[in-house]
Amino acid sequence: MTWRTLETEDGSCTLQRTADAVTCHSTAGAWRQARERYARACRIAELGAERGAVALLDIGTGLGLNLAAALEALEASAAPLEAVSFERDVELLAHAFEVRQPPECERWVAPVRAILRVALHSPGERVAAPWGGLRLELGDARTAVRRWRTGAFDAVFLDPFAPSLEPQLWSAEFLADLAAAMAPHALLSTYSASVAVRAGLVAAGLRVGQGPRVGRKAQGSLASFTAPLPPLHPRLARKIARRSAR
Ligand SMILES: C[S@@+](CC[C@H](N)C(=O)[O-])C[C@H]1O[C@@H](n2cnc3c(N)ncnc32)[C@H](O)[C@@H]1O
């Protein structure tokens, strides 16, 4: 599969699959999406300040922008980031290593890229980084995630391709595995606002709330066992509850 670099509206770059024009990020802004949809929505800065360290499950390594946004969020607290990142497509990673970002993004993605290059040669093993540590799980995340059902992660970035392209990473089974990885206070963020995905999260025992508006995407979803969440419209919440009970 071939990928080309595509500049998004905030000046940061993503990868686009030449065969079908699928992109790894919103064209409204790859870096903006990473910061707002994932790092900010999962309260990474606050977690760093409150807990002194952050354990992150990152579904879909891609260009490493979401990991980079987590690093940026931890600058003030200097809390270490321990991340487990899942990627199936080694060829995509090779393309991602060649992409250069604008300075404000490159500052954070360059250290992630450096560790990913090392981690690529020792998949599944922890690679120490100046900012903490990273494990790169290569292969299908559905299999790899099973050994991380520890109930210890502070945050989950759920960022695979769309359900129409990758239905397996939105299945109730996979969402239940993610829930089993999460600590009670943890937040999961994803760009999907579909009733089916939200019902899967509820079926896994999580509460679901509205994610932030990012660019043209009106909302995404946030999920947690105990953290406060922006509420859904009651009618929508009832629809999700009915669907999750099926
Ligand atoms: C939308 S992109 C992720 C962008 C990334 N989060 C970033 O910050 O740059 C989706 C990623 O999920 C990966 N992916 C898709 N299906 C997967 C699977 N079953 N297991 C692991 N990774 C998968 C793709 O190869 C792709 O890199």
Side-chain angles (χ1 to χ4, degrees):
M1 206 72 82
T2 312
W3 297 85
R4 72 181 187 98
T5 304
L6 181 78
E7 186 175 325
T8 66
E9 286 169 27
D10 66 359
S12 64
C13 294
T14 188
L15 287 174
Q16 182 178 52
R17 205 153 61 186
T18 49
D20 55 9
V22 164
T23 57
C24 284
H25 298 88
S26 159
T27 53
W31 183 229
R32 178 181 178 192
Q33 178 185 308
R35 300 171 86 200
E36 296 179 15
R37 169 76 62 219
Y38 296 100
R40 195 172 304 159
C42 283
R43 302 182 69 250
I44 298 296
E46 292 85 346
L47 281 168
E50 290 160 14
R51 309 188 79 83
V54 174
L56 168 67
L57 210 59
D58 177 49
I59 306 297
T61 312
L63 290 90
L65 289 191
N66 293 351
L67 288 169
L71 281 193
E72 182 197 34
L74 292 171
E75 183 181 25
S77 67
L81 177 70
E82 286 293 333
V84 184
S85 188
F86 297 76
E87 179 55 62
R88 186 181 59 181
D89 190 342
V90 174
E91 200 181 325
L92 186 153
L93 282 182
H95 282 280
F97 291 158
E98 302 308 314
V99 177
R100 291 296 170 273
Q101 301 286 358
E104 66 278 11
C105 173
E106 186 64 21
R107 175 180 171 205
W108 300 104
V109 82
V112 168
R113 215 187 279 125
I115 297 302
L116 281 172
R117 280 182 190 279
V118 179
L120 194 52
H121 299 291
S122 49
E125 287 175 27
R126 180 181 181 275
V127 177
W131 38 267
L134 175 77
R135 278 189 171 86
L136 178 62
E137 291 279 11
L138 289 179
D140 191 338
R142 282 178 300 170
T143 308
V145 82
R146 289 193 198 125
R147 67 186 184 105
W148 294 104
R149 291 181 292 196
T150 56
F153 286 86
D154 300 301
V156 178
F157 296 167
L158 177 56
D159 190 22
F161 291 126
S164 53
L165 297 166
E166 299 274 0
Q168 61 277 14
L169 287 199
W170 303 95
S171 68
E173 294 73 20
F174 186 66
L175 297 176
D177 284 338
L178 295 182
M182 292 166 66
H185 64 269
L187 280 160
L188 173 152
S189 182
T190 184
Y191 61 85
S192 174
S194 92
V195 170
V197 169
R198 287 173 166 179
L201 292 166
V202 170
L206 293 159
R207 293 153 48 254
V208 176
Q210 193 167 311
R213 180 188 187 93
V214 180
R216 286 180 288 276
K217 181 82 182 164
Q219 55 174 283
S221 301
L222 283 171
S224 179
F225 291 108
T226 63
L229 301 170
L232 299 172
H233 190 284
R235 203 179 318 132
L236 177 58
R238 284 196 296 275
K239 187 173 176 185
I240 292 165
R242 280 197 303 275
R243 174 88 178 245
S244 73
R246 273 192 208 163

